[in-house]
Amino acid sequence: MSNAFETILKSKMSEQSYRKIEALNNPKVMEFIGSFAEHCDPASIYVCGDSEEDKQYVRDQALSQGEEHPMALSKQTIHWDGYGDQARDKVNTKFMVYKENLERMKSLNSVEYEEGLAEIMDISKGIMNGKDVVVLFFSEGPTESPFTIPCIQMTDSWYVAHSEQILYRTAYNHFLKMPESEKDHFYRFIHSAGEVDERKCTVNLDKRRIYMDTQNNIVYSMNDQYAGNSIGLKKHSMRLAINESGKNGWLCEHMFVMAAVNEEKNRKTYFCGAYPSACGKTSTAMIPGEQIVGDDIAYFRNINGEFRAVNVEFGMFGIIKDVNAKDDPLIFENLMKDQEVIFSNILKGPDGKPYWLGMGVEPPDEGFNHSGEWKKGNKDAKGNEIDIAHGNARYTMRLDYLANIDKDGFEAKDGVMVQGVLYGGRDSDTTVPVEESPDWKDGILLKAATLESETTSATLGAEGVRKPSPMANLDFVSYPLGEYTMNNIKFGENVDNTPKIFSNNYFMRGKDGNFITSKLAKRVWLHWAEGRVHGDYEACETPTGKIPLYQDLKDLFKKYLDEDFAEDTYTYLFTFRCSKWIEKIERTKTFYVKMDANTPKEIFEYWDATIARIQTAKEKYGDLIEPGKYQG
Ligand code: OXD
Ligand code: MN
């Protein structure tokens, strides 16, 4: 195939690499790689296939180029992002929007298309100068399946390439087999860490930009390394998929996929769940005794009338803080084994071992961490003492190392059939630990759209502020929130087997300010939901849904935790708090108004009708309605 970029690509590629892209016979691939080879001007370009040798080459480069460092265990490595590049940069992550779409997109962080393109092209001009670059082919979801979205990543960071090889399925062969009619449809990600210092960390953080072109499915990420900013396949691709799914009647959600296992009844029930950062998402997906399919991103499709889901990813990029032998034994045990793990932004001790916050192990007083050479008591430029590790430090690891992986669900090309969807927020005084929604639409508008949380160290900025988090997906929704909310309603209503929706709240506090149940109680709430899916339990009504009966929870606490669950604890936890709920819905309404996000009138009418119903209930039963008292 002769092409306009042949000369430049041949000058930067080995013959073998050039042959690999030529074999794809795809002008759009050639154009993508060729045009950025010209514009960003790397020293060399390596094209990765799916082979084990290619994977090994990437790992070796990540070490030899100094972006990763060896640990005491031979297969583990560590990477540090720059001190100011430890979380997603929300301010500089923008949608590039054509003029005619600017009005519709005004509630999202956007830049006019030509202006954004000019800025990012200016920043990226020659940015890869002197660097060795790698091109990789991946698939979101299983390859060659109804869910597959093929993707290409071009990056000058071998840490980014290595991370993606752990986190996603490689898909060079998928690209090779693409039929002519599909050759145009893939996502493109161009990334550069930009100029790096002697620690191989990005220098020009003031020029950090993540610009997303959802109209042409391309994302430009410049001058960053933190994976949430740099890895195309993760949150950038998610925004492209949310946009595409919104137009084509499927969904991309910020959700885990898991199986609740009921051994007594010999059944497996698939749940998906969305929880804002630090609200129990991973720990729910990892409940001991259940099985995990994925921990972060799910695609939903209507396949022959069935609500089916896949985990988009192959690995996990998990928050490591508080992972310890007691609270997260399955993950902890894997982080202690000699198998492929990339640690990021934790401490490498003088013994070459990893140390992090909440590890449950006494850390050394010195070593290397995200600040460089570290000693206990070291302060940063602002005078703040530097901890042994960052609160948003991570581990990158294959999911199938986990003993609790649901192998069938993980590999299934048609995904798994979902029967329950969980939405969990963090709230100390309003929502009950588990409540079933009367139907799908109620679930989206009262459980999903009303989700709230507190900010955590996963994003830049202040911690501990209460904030709205509709569907736990706000950072990634790439078209107006009101339209997205309607699409969620439509998707569930259009399948034959609409799942039940449940809310979760693990953070209700008692009168003394302490949490009421142990972390393990999640298993009980999940198994009540599992039983409800199969019609095993009766429930009592509240103005917003259905809650468990005391006796069923008492039995479940005994069965799963061998604990006695007291009736007064049940009454306290499951009391319906009228004023608190009205305030919560009012906050949601205010937020949707503030977002000015094409929210249909019927959504506001629904919330007003719910508030009126709660108000009537309050007049009839009082502000606090104990379980069993409400009769509609
Ligand atoms: C993540 C995030 O890292 O949502 O998954 O920030
Ligand atoms: Mn996430």
Side-chain angles (χ1 to χ4, degrees):
M1 185 174 77
S2 86
N3 74 85
F5 299 102
E6 187 173 344
T7 311
I8 178 136
L9 288 178
K10 281 190 167 163
S11 74
K12 293 183 189 283
M13 282 182 186
S14 68
E15 217 184 297
Q16 206 189 13
S17 276
Y18 187 77
R19 250 189 280 123
K20 275 192 206 147
I21 48 161
E22 193 177 40
L24 297 175
N25 197 15
N26 186 326
K28 194 166 163 181
V29 171
M30 214 37 120
E31 203 225 316
F32 172 60
I33 304 170
S35 62
F36 285 103
E38 247 170 33
H39 182 74
C40 302
D41 193 29
S44 72
I45 303 174
Y46 185 86
V47 178
C48 250
D50 300 340
S51 70
E52 205 29 63
E53 283 117 281
D54 274 348
K55 288 184 186 158
Q56 191 55 47
Y57 183 73
V58 168
R59 289 181 204 122
D60 292 345
Q61 286 293 308
L63 283 166
S64 65
Q65 304 251 353
E67 282 189 274
E68 290 176 33
H69 304 268
M71 300 294 283
L73 295 178
S74 66
K75 297 199 178 82
Q76 298 186 337
T77 56
I78 190 163
H79 161 84
W80 294 291
D81 299 304
Y83 198 68
D85 188 26
Q86 297 284 321
R88 281 188 280 112
D89 178 352
K90 294 211 230 176
V91 174
N92 291 305
T93 299
K94 294 186 186 170
F95 295 102
M96 298 159 64
V97 179
Y98 293 151
K99 265 204 185 76
E100 60 270 27
N101 295 333
L102 274 174
E103 174 59 22
R104 175 172 174 251
M105 293 286 281
K106 65 177 181 290
S107 57
L108 302 172
N109 195 12
S110 305
V111 54
E112 191 276 317
Y113 193 88
E114 293 301 331
E115 189 192 320
L117 189 64
E119 186 188 359
I120 201 75
M121 290 314 260
D122 183 44
I123 286 178
S124 56
K125 175 103 190 117
I127 197 167
M128 294 172 172
N129 202 289
K131 292 200 183 181
D132 298 320
V133 158
V134 53
V135 173
L136 308 105
F137 299 84
F138 293 106
S139 157
E140 296 286 23
T143 54
E144 299 172 61
S145 87
F147 291 92
T148 310
I149 296 188
C151 300
I152 302 189
Q153 173 82 62
M154 182 166 177
T155 177
D156 60 15
S157 166
W158 296 82
Y159 157 70
V160 166
H162 183 197
S163 300
E164 287 182 327
Q165 286 189 331
I166 296 174
L167 293 172
Y168 302 94
R169 293 176 169 88
T170 55
Y172 176 77
N173 281 313
H174 181 102
F175 271 82
L176 263 183
K177 289 193 225 157
M178 265 183 190
E180 235 17 80
S181 59
E182 287 172 23
K183 278 192 169 164
D184 244 17
H185 181 245
F186 55 90
Y187 294 172
R188 292 164 290 167
F189 304 106
I190 174 83
H191 167 256
S192 173
E195 189 185 334
V196 290
D197 59 18
E198 66 292 346
R199 298 175 58 223
K200 305 292 171 194
C201 295
T202 296
V203 173
N204 300 315
L205 291 177
D206 58 323
K207 296 207 178 73
R208 178 171 53 200
R209 298 288 182 280
I210 297 127
Y211 280 8
M212 281 163 296
D213 175 359
T214 53
Q215 295 116 150
N216 300 295
N217 287 331
I218 176 163
V219 180
Y220 309 78
S221 171
M222 299 293 149
N223 293 303
D224 55 63
Q225 281 165 309
Y226 170 69
N229 293 322
S230 60
I231 288 189
L233 274 282
K234 200 166 180 71
K235 294 299 162 47
H236 308 342
S237 166
M238 190 176 167
R239 293 176 182 98
L240 301 185
I242 288 175
N243 176 64
E244 184 181 332
S245 61
K247 291 189 193 138
N248 298 329
W250 51 283
L251 291 176
C252 168
E253 294 300 305
H254 195 195
M255 287 195 183
F256 64 64
V257 185
M258 72 178 297
V261 181
N262 190 326
E263 274 173 9
E264 199 179 298
K265 302 242 159 102
N266 197 18
R267 69 188 178 209
K268 237 186 210 185
T269 307
Y270 287 99
F271 283 84
C272 291
Y275 300 62
S277 199
C279 291
K281 186 178 178 196
T282 305
S283 56
T284 304
M286 290 293 294
I287 292 175
E290 318 303 338
Q291 294 184 344
I292 187 168
V293 179
D295 79 319
D296 198 30
I297 306 170
Y299 291 166
F300 295 163
R301 278 189 183 266
N302 177 338
I303 299 184
N304 302 327
E306 281 185 359
F307 189 123
R308 301 197 70 93
V310 284
N311 168 21
V312 169
E313 304 180 285
F314 188 76
M316 61 201 300
F317 174 61
I319 296 182
I320 202 164
K321 184 176 169 194
D322 295 332
V323 172
N324 55 55
K326 182 168 160 280
D327 295 328
D328 271 309
L330 292 175
I331 295 177
F332 187 78
E333 156 196 315
N334 273 289
L335 300 180
M336 294 294 116
K337 280 190 192 160
D338 194 8
Q339 58 189 11
E340 190 175 22
V341 175
I342 309 174
F343 295 105
S344 53
N345 304 321
I346 62 165
L347 183 80
K348 176 179 174 182
D351 53 5
K353 291 187 180 161
Y355 296 92
W356 59 85
L357 299 167
M359 183 186 182
V361 168
E362 194 56 41
D365 289 344
E366 59 181 15
F368 283 86
N369 70 6
H370 56 301
S371 68
E373 196 167 355
W374 175 85
K375 271 198 172 45
K376 196 176 170 162
N378 273 10
K379 299 216 160 82
D380 66 14
K382 291 188 183 141
N384 299 319
E385 184 160 336
I386 303 167
D387 249 324
I388 59 160
H390 194 272
N392 191 32
R394 303 278 179 142
Y395 59 90
T396 302
M397 181 178 94
R398 293 167 67 113
L399 262 158
D400 62 359
Y401 286 164
L402 295 172
N404 59 336
I405 186 94
D406 171 42
K407 280 219 167 62
D408 305 335
F410 189 58
E411 294 299 338
K413 299 248 185 219
D414 280 350
V416 297
M417 192 179 86
V418 179
Q419 292 184 277
V421 177
L422 309 171
Y423 288 98
R426 177 182 278 263
D427 131 24
S428 54
D429 59 13
T430 308
T431 44
V432 300
V434 61
E435 183 179 47
E436 178 186 323
S437 224
D439 72 14
W440 179 263
K441 180 176 173 188
D442 295 292
I444 297 299
L445 293 180
L446 286 184
K447 309 293 191 240
T450 61
L451 269 188
E452 290 177 311
S453 165
E454 291 173 355
T455 48
T456 69
S457 45
T459 55
L460 301 176
E463 282 188 51
V465 180
R466 185 157 161 150
K467 59 167 202 165
S469 187
M471 288 77 165
N473 209 2
L474 203 55
D475 285 354
F476 313 110
V477 170
S478 44
Y479 62 98
L481 182 63
E483 294 174 29
Y484 165 74
T485 306
M486 274 316 282
N487 280 338
N488 257 272
I489 293 174
K490 279 190 218 141
F491 181 82
E493 288 182 343
N494 284 342
V495 289
D496 298 336
N497 65 324
T498 308
K500 283 185 183 294
I501 292 183
F502 300 87
S503 63
N504 271 153
N505 174 27
Y506 306 143
F507 303 94
M508 177 64 93
R509 289 181 193 263
K511 292 180 184 122
D512 58 2
N514 292 325
F515 293 130
I516 296 170
T517 49
S518 78
K519 290 186 180 173
L520 296 174
K522 293 179 183 84
R523 188 156 190 216
V524 169
W525 318 135
L526 176 72
H527 275 276
W528 183 76
E530 191 266 348
R532 283 293 296 170
V533 165
H534 297 282
D536 292 353
Y537 303 121
E538 294 297 316
C540 48
E541 303 278 327
T542 77
T544 52
K546 297 182 172 72
I547 53 170
L549 305 183
Y550 170 62
Q551 189 60 43
D552 293 328
L553 289 184
K554 187 170 183 298
D555 294 347
L556 286 166
F557 265 93
K558 200 70 202 157
K559 176 172 172 188
Y560 286 108
L561 307 180
D562 196 22
E563 277 180 24
D564 294 319
F565 185 55
E567 189 155 10
D568 57 345
T569 309
Y570 164 76
T571 303
Y572 181 83
L573 279 172
F574 285 91
T575 287
F576 187 83
R577 291 151 171 96
C578 293
S579 302
K580 291 282 178 201
W581 252 106
I582 291 173
E583 285 164 21
K584 190 176 178 69
I585 300 173
E586 289 291 0
R587 284 196 299 272
T588 306
K589 275 173 56 190
T590 307
F591 182 68
Y592 270 71
V593 169
K594 189 180 125 210
M595 289 295 283
D596 194 5
N598 288 353
T599 307
K601 218 164 92 221
E602 68 170 279
I603 291 188
F604 289 107
E605 285 167 359
Y606 175 91
W607 283 325
D608 286 338
T610 309
I611 289 173
R613 190 169 67 244
I614 300 174
Q615 194 60 43
T616 307
K618 182 174 163 184
E619 280 152 26
K620 193 161 166 194
Y621 301 101
D623 192 30
L624 304 178
I625 309 176
E626 290 187 358
K629 300 267 162 64
Y630 179 75
Q631 302 298 327

